Amino acid sequence: MEALEQGDAICLFPEGFSRYHPTMAPLKTGVARIVSDVLSRNRDDPEFAVTVLTCSLTYVHRHAFRSDVLVSFNPPLRLTVKDTPSLVATPNTPVNFEAVKSLTAFMHAQLSSNTIDSPSWDLIRIAKTAARIYVPLGTRMRLGDWVRVVARFVEGFAVGTVVAGEGTEGVAIERKGLTRTVNWDSKSAFGSPEKRPAVTTENIEHIVAEGQLQKDSEISDAEREQLARDLTAYQDHLNALGLKDDRIRQSENVARMILLGRLVLRVLNTFLLLLLALPGLILWLPIFITTAIYVRRLRSSGPLWDTQDEVAQTKLVYGLASGIVVWGLAVIFTLPIFNTGLFLTMCIVPAWMWLTLRWTEDLVSAFRASLALYRLLRLGKAELKRTREIREDLHGRVVNLATIALGLPANPEDEFLVIKGEDGDDHPSRWGKHQRGRSKGGWDSALRYFSIRRRRKRDWNETLRWFDATEFPKE
């Protein structure tokens, strides 16, 4: 409290614990109570203020190494003594706990408005399938846009879910396209207790594009439920084929002989990268074995979804420790070979190991592409045509849902495409220089190859596994 009184900032995690669930946990009231205590300590200064700045975090694969993460800062909330009397305790009047719950509900609404908050993992899977069909740009769209599009589809398919509860008076979520603004009537929430309205679920209002209520959209609940079932069946079909939606989408315009030629090139590229990476992988082998042994022991101590934090810490600690040992031994054994001096040898070994990771990522990418092309060639023309027809039908229905009910643009590939632009340009193209490792050519391409941010992925949902397999409990 002294830090806040002096104008410093403190960071708190209001959920109170780490969890692997598709929906946010109810927030603890600790943040609101701290705000109340600080305002109460300074009640003699009507202008004294505390600012609450909520930050939404969205990990694409929070349990995976080098997961992409979106950090979204929400609009700040400035609370003063004179404007929030219900949060200020006096010698004769205690703090009204309804005001504490109202502030907590507002923070929960803000945090939820800029992340993917879903009732179940299955719903997230459906929303991701719909998003890939709706805007098949992969990493050519910004991560923030991708997360918000998925979040909008989660809302579109989450029919019949409860969206309000105790302590939510004055909170309203306004949605226009990807923009989700949390509005709050602070006077009704923090005014005098006798003037504050009763807490009811009618105080929450969810609004979509052009001011229409979500329940008044032209897409019925039955149509959404049927679309969700059809998207699930389509994704299951793709999983059985071992293909991704983008392969089906592009297959119509590519001749089979061209696919065969691409397959030959990918196979040759795979073998070349394997030859390059193999010597360095020998250095990485002891590190992989050490971490695998300890991770296996740790996972046997409890459910997988409840040990992921400990698994990540174990990988970091034992991987770093074994890596230092491998580095030292490699320097000792390679010093006579390179004969370039101790300092240079100490630099060559980690540089070689780093390049090995780069080549391994490229190797995995080339192998995936080879496998996908092989499966696509094996697929009969009739089956491929039927799958494309299913996708075309789903595409039309998904676009209808996106534009009519969710307020998303009808031309997403133009709206969300990231292209290279000039500095200072207000168009989204200004982000073109930061496409998460996508190479452009020339020196820029050569330097990006060594960047720690570089990714060999065409989809934000892609890691070193094929699909976003969820191993967490259903809710």
Side-chain angles (χ1 to χ4, degrees):
M1 289 189 289
E2 293 179 357
L4 291 176
E5 290 175 335
Q6 296 173 5
D8 292 334
I10 62 174
C11 178
L12 298 172
F13 293 86
E15 281 186 291
F17 60 97
S18 178
R19 55 188 259 125
Y20 287 85
H21 295 266
T23 186
M24 287 179 54
L27 300 189
K28 307 294 184 181
T29 58
V31 174
R33 287 188 284 114
I34 290 175
V35 171
S36 176
D37 290 345
V38 175
L39 292 176
S40 299
R41 283 163 56 109
N42 296 270
R43 59 179 174 268
D44 295 331
D45 181 5
E47 300 299 327
F48 180 82
V50 176
T51 301
V52 177
L53 179 65
T54 58
C55 176
S56 303
L57 298 178
T58 306
Y59 287 91
V60 180
H61 293 280
R62 59 173 293 178
H63 54 284
F65 178 61
R66 293 173 67 200
S67 169
D68 293 293
V69 58
L70 175 67
V71 182
S72 302
F73 290 95
N74 301 302
L77 175 66
R78 189 172 184 269
L79 302 169
T80 63
V81 171
K82 66 177 182 180
D83 293 332
T84 57
S86 292
L87 284 175
V88 179
T90 65
N92 300 322
T93 307
V95 173
N96 190 295
F97 196 66
E98 293 299 325
V100 173
K101 291 193 292 184
S102 179
L103 177 57
T104 304
F106 170 77
M107 291 189 295
H108 189 285
Q110 265 201 331
L111 291 170
S112 176
S113 69
N114 273 314
T115 189
I116 300 175
D117 192 12
S118 169
S120 68
W121 287 112
D122 288 338
L123 192 58
I124 292 179
R125 182 175 184 259
I126 293 169
K128 287 181 176 180
T129 302
R132 281 192 289 267
I133 293 176
Y134 167 69
V135 52
L137 290 175
T139 51
R140 289 181 295 163
M141 67 187 296
R142 288 176 288 180
L143 177 59
D145 288 338
W146 180 81
V147 168
R148 294 181 186 101
V149 167
V150 173
R152 293 298 286 120
F153 276 110
V154 167
E155 293 174 353
F157 287 112
V159 294
T161 57
V162 178
V163 295
E166 188 179 16
T168 56
E169 71 275 9
V171 182
I173 303 177
E174 183 178 357
R175 297 174 174 85
K176 292 186 178 180
L178 294 187
T179 303
R180 308 168 76 203
T181 305
V182 181
N183 301 312
W184 192 28
D185 185 358
S186 60
K187 292 183 179 179
S188 67
F190 295 142
S192 301
E194 63 274 6
K195 296 181 180 180
R196 189 174 57 252
V199 180
T200 63
T201 58
E202 284 74 19
N203 294 121
I204 287 281
E205 184 181 24
H206 288 261
I207 306 174
V208 296
E210 301 177 358
Q212 295 178 342
L213 294 181
Q214 185 170 345
K215 63 181 181 180
D216 294 333
S217 66
E218 299 178 15
I219 308 295
S220 67
D221 290 354
E223 290 176 303
R224 299 184 196 212
E225 292 173 355
Q226 184 59 51
L227 178 57
R229 287 192 291 268
D230 293 343
L231 286 169
T232 299
Y234 175 67
Q235 186 61 63
D236 290 341
H237 181 59
L238 292 181
N239 291 358
L241 295 178
L243 295 172
K244 301 181 76 172
D245 175 71
D246 198 51
R247 294 287 183 184
I248 302 298
R249 182 179 67 90
Q250 297 181 355
S251 62
E252 186 175 7
N253 301 321
V254 182
R256 297 183 73 85
M257 289 303 298
I258 296 179
L259 291 177
L260 182 60
R262 291 179 180 177
L263 175 60
V264 173
L265 291 177
R266 295 297 189 278
V267 171
L268 292 176
N269 191 27
T270 300
F271 280 107
L272 176 61
L273 290 169
L274 180 60
L275 293 176
L276 287 173
L278 195 57
L281 287 175
I282 297 176
L283 295 176
W284 281 100
L285 188 61
I287 301 175
F288 295 155
I289 293 176
T290 302
T291 55
I293 291 174
Y294 284 96
V295 165
R296 184 176 180 180
R297 291 179 182 176
L298 188 59
R299 284 179 173 173
S300 63
S301 63
L304 180 61
W305 54 267
D306 196 34
T307 58
Q308 290 289 4
D309 283 342
E310 290 78 6
V311 167
Q313 296 170 8
T314 300
K315 286 182 178 179
L316 180 63
V317 172
Y318 286 94
L320 181 61
S322 57
I324 293 175
V325 173
V326 170
W327 178 30
L329 294 176
V331 168
I332 293 174
F333 284 107
T334 57
L335 184 60
I337 299 176
F338 291 123
N339 196 24
T340 54
L342 179 62
F343 179 77
L344 189 57
T345 305
M346 291 176 65
C347 296
I348 290 176
V349 172
W352 183 264
M353 295 178 70
W354 177 252
L355 282 175
T356 298
L357 287 181
R358 284 282 169 263
W359 293 329
T360 302
E361 287 181 345
D362 293 345
L363 170 63
V364 172
S365 179
F367 176 74
R368 281 180 181 163
S370 302
L371 197 58
L373 289 170
Y374 170 71
R375 288 168 173 167
L376 195 60
L377 285 170
R378 281 191 57 191
L379 195 63
K381 292 184 178 180
E383 178 64 21
L384 182 59
K385 180 181 179 181
R386 186 180 72 88
T387 305
R388 279 201 302 260
E389 290 174 349
I390 294 174
R391 188 194 184 279
E392 290 173 1
D393 174 69
L394 289 173
H395 177 266
R397 295 158 63 190
V398 166
V399 170
N400 285 340
L401 175 65
T403 56
I404 296 175
L406 306 182
L408 296 174
N411 55 338
E413 295 188 54
D414 295 330
E415 183 74 19
F416 299 118
L417 178 64
V418 176
I419 57 176
K420 188 174 182 179
E422 299 296 332
D423 291 336
D425 186 2
D426 290 333
H427 191 269
S429 62
R430 71 185 187 276
W431 296 91
K433 297 180 180 178
H434 309 287
Q435 289 193 48
R436 282 72 180 177
R438 284 196 168 274
S439 300
K440 295 295 182 182
W443 285 105
D444 183 58
S445 175
L447 294 176
R448 281 175 184 264
Y449 192 83
F450 302 98
S451 172
I452 194 172
R453 297 174 61 192
R454 180 180 177 268
R455 302 287 195 276
R456 282 303 303 266
K457 60 169 64 175
R458 298 176 61 87
D459 190 318
W460 283 120
N461 194 46
E462 182 180 338
T463 62
L464 290 180
R465 299 178 302 176
W466 256 108
F467 296 103
D468 184 29
T470 53
E471 301 155 329
F472 311 132
K474 296 182 179 181
E475 291 187 345

